[in-house]
Amino acid sequence: MSDPVPVITIDGPSGSGKGTVSSRVAEALGGWHFLDSGALYRLTGLAVEKAGIGFEDPQKAAEIAANLDVRFEQGKVLLGGEDVTLAIRTEQAGNRASKVAAMPEVRAALLDWQRQAVRPPGLVADGRDMGTTVFPDAPLKVFLTASAEERAKRRYKQLKEKGIASNIGELAEEIRQRDERDRNRSASPLVPAADALVIDSTGMTIEAVVEKILQAAHKVLPAG
Ligand code: DC
């Protein structure tokens, strides 16, 4: 019997650096696949908005999530053929995502999407509940965090680099509210898995965080 395809889960709150760290870990492991599960929630939020059904109907939102017409092509994200790469990265898109993410029906509808991303040689999955719910058998689970101030600063810089104007104070407040909603929701709340390696990246460089995860990976992954 062949070994299962290995999965490394990297969960944590927004602005903790998960996205950058996850894609670098995937690359350093020799071209592993990378799942940005937050993008699926952002896409669902946008699709719900476009459908004009409001955010009060979990059943309809779940139908939309299950039937997302998404393509990831050459660094671009297409929803129903439309380029939404930037549209899903705004703070507004993050807030919509957080709303649909609180619906158990939507979370269930996105499970298959996420599990289908497991392909050889391995997958690094970035999100909130990758280690607790989506891939509970992953051999390495990381929970990455950082202080709220540091996360607001990082978010500000990221948005600026993408040409999106923002305000640090407002960002910090939005991050705090979103964290609270993500932590306190009943469906897959944002908590570290019991067996997660918790890394507080406040004051750490991206390289140092990546190195720490790679060291842990080499201890648990089969050699070769
Ligand atoms: O990581 P992100 O900022 O792109 O996530 C957007 C929203 O989706 C955020 O409010 C948390 C939610 N989310 C989630 O509930 N579960 C995931 N696996 C990924 C994201």
Side-chain angles (χ1 to χ4, degrees):
M1 211 180 80
S2 58
D3 287 332
V5 176
V7 176
I8 294 177
T9 61
I10 304 187
D11 290 306
S14 44
S16 59
K18 283 171 301 145
T20 311
V21 165
S22 300
S23 60
R24 293 216 192 162
V25 167
E27 200 182 306
L29 286 169
W32 279 29
H33 299 278
F34 166 49
L35 169 68
D36 170 7
S37 62
L40 294 175
Y41 289 94
R42 287 171 180 267
L43 284 160
T44 303
L46 182 61
V48 166
E49 175 83 18
K50 281 183 184 293
I53 58 159
F55 287 82
E56 310 300 327
D57 190 338
Q59 224 55 52
K60 280 206 183 121
E63 243 170 70
I64 287 178
N67 296 298
L68 279 179
D69 174 15
V70 179
R71 276 178 294 145
F72 295 90
E73 272 174 18
Q74 294 157 357
K76 289 207 187 315
V77 188
L78 306 177
L79 178 65
E82 183 191 341
D83 183 354
V84 294
T85 319
L86 277 181
I88 60 165
R89 291 297 148 202
T90 64
E91 290 306 294
Q92 197 189 20
N95 286 326
R96 280 190 215 119
S98 173
K99 284 184 194 154
V100 293
M103 302 173 180
E105 296 86 347
V106 167
R107 306 199 70 86
L110 290 178
L111 268 182
D112 276 352
W113 271 104
Q114 297 171 86
R115 293 188 177 142
Q116 276 166 17
V118 181
R119 270 170 283 141
L123 177 75
V124 178
D126 153 358
R128 303 292 191 289
D129 61 340
M130 299 294 99
T132 49
T133 307
V134 184
F135 303 112
D137 299 327
L140 176 61
K141 300 172 187 174
V142 175
F143 191 84
L144 194 59
T145 183
S147 72
E149 295 72 34
E150 173 121 355
R151 290 189 284 129
K153 270 193 228 151
R154 289 179 188 168
R155 200 66 163 186
Y156 177 78
K157 204 169 147 235
Q158 247 179 18
L159 289 169
K160 198 170 164 193
E161 279 163 11
K162 289 187 179 131
I164 302 172
S166 62
N167 168 297
I168 287 211
E170 281 171 16
L171 277 182
E173 181 53 24
E174 273 172 17
I175 283 181
R176 200 191 56 72
Q177 283 179 12
R178 191 166 346 143
D179 277 2
E180 196 165 296
R181 203 156 48 208
D182 291 343
R183 268 196 201 110
N184 295 324
R185 69 181 175 221
S186 53
S188 288
L190 173 66
V191 286
D195 51 350
L197 166 69
V198 178
I199 303 176
D200 182 343
S201 71
T202 312
M204 280 175 87
T205 61
I206 288 168
E207 289 73 24
V209 176
V210 169
E211 192 47 41
K212 201 163 174 168
I213 296 173
L214 289 174
Q215 278 173 12
H218 291 309
K219 279 192 200 138
V220 297
L221 297 175

